[in-house]
């Protein structure tokens, strides 16, 4: 048993001794492998490392330097590398080239928002002068609930009753948030919430609740529609008691030197809320009974994908009974 274990251990010890003496690195296989590495360095299209002038003396034997301007395919297509080449040609810094080609999206978005304004406005046109309220933020969702009411008329022996359409209503609801933006009048959040609250109520015995118009940007979603505000509950949050102004920096009139004025008086914010969340629920009202054409014009359906007009041909899905539901005598 001792001889069986001793032989493998002896081979391992011999390999380690050969490795320490450098015999492995002098073997023919290692020389071939090293030659392949040198050939790959000379023929590879990838970029080469710059020479190390602080290297050892024998580094000169294995010096592999790429020509100036030699880049890999990935580097040649990289915008920063292209800017660096253009900067070296023009004699300027790459940062200047990059800045000249870059786009300030903050400024671009600001200009876009100033050119295109899609505000959500709720207007009360029943008073003089008319009052409009611009929604401070854009709701992330709009709930539209068209409801239909049917009455079931049971008939003897029928498995399914007759249904008569008795009416319907449209409900529109969305959530909005208010934020205080007026430093002089901290009750701006409460004022907006209560304005909407007043539009959901009657004006004492003088007038009934007003009908309102909703402008949803330039989309025309509720164009020419009238609504009543059924409910406008709100939740006030972030009440603030007082605040102290930040450091003020004044300038000496004689020397022009900036002086830090750390003396500031606290402001009484009167415990007004800084934020509010309000849920608005509207009901559509009309003077006439709306038709299908008023709900969705045919001109819009004709260019809407997925809506098919047969052009007068007989549809295989058409019911042979041409009588409409709810018109039986």
């Amino acid at each position: 048993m001792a001889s069986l274990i001793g032989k493998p251990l002896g081979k391992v010890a011999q390999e380690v001794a050969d490795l320490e003496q450098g015999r492995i690195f002098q073997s023919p296989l290692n020389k071939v492998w090293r030659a392949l590495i040198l050939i790959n360095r000379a023929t590879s299209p990838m970029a080469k490392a710059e020479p190390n002038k602080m290297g050892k003396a024998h580094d000169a034997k294995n010096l592999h330097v790429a020509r100036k301007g030699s880049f890999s395919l990935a580097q040649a297509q990289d915008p920063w590398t292209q800017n660096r080449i253009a900067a070296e040609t023009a004699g300027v810094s790459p940062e200047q080239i990059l800045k000249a080609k870059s786009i300030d999206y903050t400024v671009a978005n600001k200009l876009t928002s100033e050119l295109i304004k899609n505000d959500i406005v709720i207007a009360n046109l029943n008073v003089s002068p008319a009052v409009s309220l611009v929604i401070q933020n854009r709701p992330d969702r709009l709930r539209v609930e068209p409801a239909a009411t049917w009455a079931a008329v049971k008939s003897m022996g029928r498995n399914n009753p007759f249904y008569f359409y008795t009416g319907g209503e449209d409900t529109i609801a969305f959530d909005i948030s208010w934020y205080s933006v007026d430093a002089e009048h901290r009750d701006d959040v409460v004022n907006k919430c209560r304005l909407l609250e007043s539009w959901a109520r009657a004006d004492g015995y003088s007038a009934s609740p007003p009908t309102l118009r909703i402008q949803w940007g330039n989309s025309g979603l509720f164009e020419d529609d009238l609504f009543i505000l059924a409910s406008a509950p709100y939740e006030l949050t972030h009440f603030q008691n007082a605040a102290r102004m930040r450091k003020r920096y004044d300038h000496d009139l004689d020397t022009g030197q900036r002086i830090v004025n750390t003396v500031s008086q606290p402001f009484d914010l009167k415990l007004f809320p800084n934020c509010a969340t309000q849920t608005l629920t509207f009901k559509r009202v009309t003077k006439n009974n709306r038709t299908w054409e008023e709900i969705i014009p045919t001109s819009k359906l004709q260019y809407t994908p997925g809506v098919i007009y047969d052009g007068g041909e007989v549809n295989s899905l058409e019911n042979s009974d041409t009588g409409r539901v709810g018109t039986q005598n």
Side-chain angles (χ1 to χ4, degrees), residues 54-316:
M54 302 299 295
K56 299 179 181 179
H58 62 267
D59 286 344
K61 300 178 181 180
N62 301 319
L63 190 60
H64 304 284
V65 183
R67 297 185 182 92
K68 186 176 182 180
S70 173
F71 302 101
S72 66
L73 182 61
Q75 287 177 321
Q77 296 176 351
D78 181 58
W80 173 252
T81 305
Q82 296 174 359
N83 292 335
R84 192 177 69 176
I85 297 173
E88 293 176 354
T89 305
V92 297
S93 64
E95 289 78 7
Q96 294 178 349
I97 297 292
L98 183 63
K99 185 177 181 180
K101 294 183 178 181
S102 63
I103 300 175
D104 192 341
Y105 288 99
T106 301
V107 176
N109 292 336
K110 183 179 180 181
L111 294 175
T112 302
S113 62
E114 292 176 353
L115 293 174
I116 303 176
K117 289 187 177 296
N118 283 302
D119 292 330
I120 301 174
V121 183
I122 303 174
N124 180 7
L125 306 181
N126 298 333
V127 294
S128 182
V131 180
S132 299
L133 179 61
V134 180
I135 303 302
Q136 198 170 8
N137 70 323
R138 183 184 306 161
D140 60 347
R141 62 189 63 192
L142 173 66
R143 298 181 294 275
V144 181
E145 301 176 6
T149 305
W150 296 81
V153 180
K154 298 181 180 180
S155 178
M156 183 178 296
R158 286 187 62 89
N159 294 327
N160 302 100
F162 293 103
Y163 284 95
F164 286 85
Y165 178 73
T166 60
E169 67 173 358
D170 296 329
T171 303
I172 297 173
F174 55 90
D175 300 327
I176 57 176
S177 298
W178 301 112
Y179 306 95
S180 180
V181 294
D182 193 344
E184 300 295 332
H185 304 88
R186 300 290 298 181
D187 57 348
D188 55 343
V189 170
V190 177
N191 294 341
K192 293 175 181 178
C193 291
R194 289 184 175 176
L195 175 60
L196 291 169
E197 178 186 353
S198 67
W199 287 348
R201 307 287 184 89
D203 187 11
Y205 292 105
S206 303
S208 59
T211 55
L212 307 173
R213 291 189 180 274
I214 302 176
Q215 176 186 337
W216 201 272
N218 298 321
S219 62
L221 283 177
F222 309 113
E223 188 177 6
D224 300 328
D225 290 339
L226 294 175
F227 297 90
I228 58 172
L229 185 55
S231 62
Y234 52 90
E235 181 180 4
L236 305 176
T237 59
H238 297 82
F239 297 92
Q240 194 169 0
N241 176 50
R244 186 181 292 274
M245 220 173 111
R246 294 184 300 174
K247 289 183 179 180
R248 293 185 302 166
Y249 296 95
D250 301 329
H251 291 80
D252 189 276
L253 298 179
D254 297 329
T255 62
Q257 185 178 3
R258 189 171 69 170
I259 303 174
V260 179
N261 186 358
T262 58
V263 179
S264 60
Q265 298 296 328
F267 291 92
D268 183 8
L269 300 181
K270 302 178 181 180
L271 215 61
F272 276 119
N274 285 325
C275 305
T277 302
Q278 195 166 18
T279 301
L280 305 181
T281 304
F282 296 89
K283 301 285 186 179
R284 180 184 276 112
V285 293
T286 58
K287 295 180 180 179
N288 63 307
N289 196 11
R290 292 203 307 161
T291 62
W292 291 347
E293 185 66 23
E294 291 175 328
I295 296 175
I296 176 64
T298 306
S299 59
K300 293 186 177 181
L301 293 178
Q302 289 177 347
Y303 63 76
T304 303
V307 180
I308 303 174
Y309 281 91
D310 291 335
E313 298 179 0
V314 178
N315 192 338
S316 60

